[in-house]
Coordinates of all heavy atoms in Angstrom, one line a residue:
P435 N -28.7 75.9 20.0 CA -29.1 76.2 21.4 C -30.5 75.6 21.8 O -31.5 76.4 21.8 CB -29.2 77.8 21.2 CG -29.5 78.0 19.9 CD -28.9 77.0 19.1
V436 N -30.5 74.3 21.9 CA -31.8 73.6 22.2 C -31.6 72.7 23.4 O -30.7 71.9 23.4 CB -32.1 72.8 21.0 CG1 -33.4 72.0 21.2 CG2 -32.2 73.6 19.8
A437 N -32.6 72.8 24.3 CA -32.7 71.9 25.4 C -34.0 71.2 25.4 O -35.0 71.9 25.3 CB -32.5 72.7 26.8
T438 N -34.0 69.8 25.5 CA -35.1 69.0 25.4 C -35.3 68.5 26.8 O -34.5 67.8 27.4 CB -34.9 67.9 24.3 OG1 -34.6 68.6 23.2 CG2 -36.3 67.1 24.2
L439 N -36.6 68.7 27.3 CA -37.0 68.2 28.6 C -37.7 66.9 28.5 O -38.5 66.7 27.7 CB -38.0 69.2 29.2 CG -37.4 70.6 29.4 CD1 -38.4 71.5 30.2 CD2 -36.0 70.7 30.2
L440 N -37.3 66.0 29.5 CA -38.0 64.7 29.6 C -38.2 64.4 31.1 O -37.4 64.5 31.9 CB -37.0 63.6 29.1 CG -37.4 62.2 29.0 CD1 -38.6 62.0 28.1 CD2 -36.4 61.3 28.7
A441 N -39.6 64.1 31.2 CA -40.0 63.9 32.8 C -39.9 62.5 33.1 O -40.1 61.5 32.3 CB -41.5 64.3 32.9
V442 N -39.4 62.2 34.4 CA -39.3 60.8 34.8 C -39.8 60.6 36.2 O -40.0 61.7 36.9 CB -37.7 60.2 34.8 CG1 -37.3 60.1 33.3 CG2 -36.9 61.2 35.7
D443 N -40.0 59.4 36.7 CA -40.7 59.1 37.9 C -39.8 58.8 39.1 O -40.3 58.8 40.2 CB -41.9 58.1 37.8 CG -43.0 58.5 36.9 OD1 -43.4 59.7 37.0 OD2 -43.3 57.7 35.9
S444 N -38.6 58.7 38.8 CA -37.7 58.2 40.0 C -36.1 58.4 39.5 O -35.8 58.6 38.3 CB -37.9 56.7 40.1 OG -37.5 55.8 39.0
Y445 N -35.4 58.2 40.4 CA -33.9 58.3 40.1 C -33.4 57.2 39.2 O -32.8 57.4 38.3 CB -33.1 58.2 41.6 CG -31.6 58.0 41.3 CD1 -30.9 59.0 41.0 CD2 -31.1 56.6 41.3 CE1 -29.4 58.8 40.8 CE2 -29.8 56.4 41.1 CZ -28.9 57.5 40.8 OH -27.5 57.4 40.6
D446 N -34.0 55.9 39.5 CA -33.6 54.9 38.5 C -34.0 55.0 37.1 O -33.3 54.8 36.1 CB -34.2 53.6 39.1 CG -33.6 53.2 40.4 OD1 -32.5 53.5 40.7 OD2 -34.2 52.2 41.0
A447 N -35.2 55.7 37.0 CA -35.7 56.1 35.6 C -34.8 57.1 35.0 O -34.5 57.1 33.8 CB -37.1 56.4 35.6
A448 N -34.4 58.0 35.8 CA -33.5 59.1 35.3 C -32.2 58.6 34.8 O -31.7 59.0 33.7 CB -33.3 60.2 36.5
I449 N -31.5 57.7 35.6 CA -30.3 57.1 35.2 C -30.4 56.3 33.9 O -29.7 56.3 33.0 CB -29.8 56.2 36.4 CG1 -29.0 56.9 37.3 CG2 -28.8 55.1 35.7 CD1 -27.7 57.6 37.0
A450 N -31.5 55.5 33.7 CA -31.8 54.7 32.6 C -32.0 55.6 31.4 O -31.3 55.3 30.2 CB -33.1 53.8 32.8
A451 N -32.6 56.7 31.5 CA -32.8 57.6 30.5 C -31.5 58.3 30.0 O -31.2 58.6 28.9 CB -33.9 58.6 30.8
A452 N -30.8 58.7 31.1 CA -29.4 59.4 30.8 C -28.5 58.5 30.1 O -27.8 59.0 29.3 CB -28.8 59.8 32.2
N453 N -28.4 57.2 30.4 CA -27.6 56.2 29.7 C -28.1 55.7 28.4 O -27.4 55.0 27.6 CB -27.4 55.2 30.7 CG -26.4 55.4 31.7 OD1 -25.5 56.3 31.5 ND2 -26.4 54.9 32.8
D454 N -29.3 56.1 28.0 CA -30.0 55.6 26.9 C -29.5 56.4 25.6 O -30.3 57.2 25.0 CB -31.5 55.7 26.9 CG -32.2 55.0 25.7 OD1 -31.5 54.4 25.0 OD2 -33.4 55.4 25.4
T455 N -28.2 56.3 25.2 CA -27.7 57.1 24.1 C -26.4 56.4 23.7 O -25.8 55.8 24.5 CB -27.3 58.4 24.6 OG1 -26.6 59.2 23.5 CG2 -26.5 58.6 25.8
P456 N -26.1 56.4 22.4 CA -24.7 56.0 22.0 C -23.6 56.7 22.5 O -22.5 56.4 22.2 CB -24.9 55.8 20.5 CG -25.9 57.0 20.0 CD -26.9 56.9 21.3
F457 N -23.9 58.0 22.9 CA -22.7 58.9 23.4 C -22.5 58.7 24.8 O -23.2 58.2 25.6 CB -23.0 60.3 23.0 CG -23.4 60.6 21.6 CD1 -24.6 60.7 21.1 CD2 -22.3 60.6 20.7 CE1 -24.9 61.1 19.7 CE2 -22.5 60.9 19.4 CZ -23.7 61.1 18.8
G458 N -21.3 59.2 25.2 CA -21.0 59.1 26.7 C -19.9 60.2 27.0 O -18.8 59.8 27.6
L459 N -20.1 61.3 26.7 CA -19.0 62.4 26.9 C -19.2 63.1 28.2 O -18.3 62.9 29.1 CB -19.1 63.5 25.9 CG -17.9 64.5 25.8 CD1 -16.6 63.7 25.8 CD2 -18.0 65.4 24.7
S460 N -20.2 63.9 28.4 CA -20.2 64.6 29.7 C -21.7 64.4 30.4 O -22.7 64.2 29.6 CB -20.1 66.1 29.4 OG -20.2 66.8 30.6
A461 N -21.9 64.7 31.6 CA -23.2 64.5 32.3 C -23.3 65.3 33.5 O -22.2 65.3 34.2 CB -23.5 63.1 32.5
S462 N -24.4 65.9 33.9 CA -24.6 66.6 35.2 C -25.8 66.0 35.8 O -26.7 65.4 35.4 CB -24.9 68.1 34.8 OG -23.8 68.6 34.2
V463 N -25.6 66.2 37.2 CA -26.8 65.8 38.1 C -26.9 67.1 39.0 O -25.9 67.6 39.6 CB -26.6 64.5 38.9 CG1 -25.3 64.6 39.9 CG2 -27.9 64.1 39.6
F464 N -28.2 67.4 39.4 CA -28.5 68.5 40.3 C -29.3 67.9 41.5 O -30.4 67.3 41.2 CB -29.2 69.6 39.7 CG -28.5 70.3 38.6 CD1 -28.4 69.8 37.2 CD2 -27.6 71.3 38.9 CE1 -27.6 70.5 36.3 CE2 -26.9 71.9 37.9 CZ -26.9 71.5 36.6
T465 N -28.7 67.8 42.6 CA -29.3 67.2 43.8 C -28.7 67.8 45.0 O -27.4 68.3 45.1 CB -29.2 65.7 43.8 OG1 -29.8 65.3 44.9 CG2 -27.6 65.4 43.6
R466 N -29.4 67.7 46.2 CA -28.7 68.2 47.5 C -28.3 66.8 48.2 O -27.8 66.9 49.4 CB -29.7 68.9 48.4 CG -30.0 70.4 47.9 CD -31.0 71.0 48.8 NE -31.1 72.5 48.6 CZ -32.2 73.0 47.9 NH1 -33.0 72.1 47.3 NH2 -32.2 74.2 47.6
D467 N -28.6 65.8 47.6 CA -28.3 64.4 48.3 C -26.9 63.9 47.8 O -26.7 63.5 46.7 CB -29.4 63.5 47.8 CG -29.2 62.1 48.6 OD1 -28.2 61.8 49.0 OD2 -30.2 61.3 48.7
L468 N -25.9 63.9 48.7 CA -24.7 63.5 48.4 C -24.6 62.1 48.0 O -23.8 61.6 47.1 CB -23.6 63.7 49.6 CG -22.2 63.3 49.3 CD1 -21.6 64.0 48.2 CD2 -21.4 63.5 50.7
G469 N -25.5 61.2 48.6 CA -25.4 59.9 48.3 C -26.0 59.6 46.9 O -25.4 58.8 46.0
A470 N -26.9 60.4 46.5 CA -27.5 60.4 45.1 C -26.3 60.7 44.0 O -26.3 60.4 43.0 CB -28.8 61.2 45.0

Side-chain angles (χ1 to χ4, degrees):
V436 180
T438 304
L439 302 181
L440 181 67
V442 294
D443 293 318
S444 67
Y445 168 83
D446 289 340
I449 281 288
N453 283 331
D454 184 21
T455 174
F457 299 104
L459 186 54
S460 181
S462 292
V463 64
F464 294 89
T465 180
R466 291 184 170 94
D467 184 336
L468 180 59

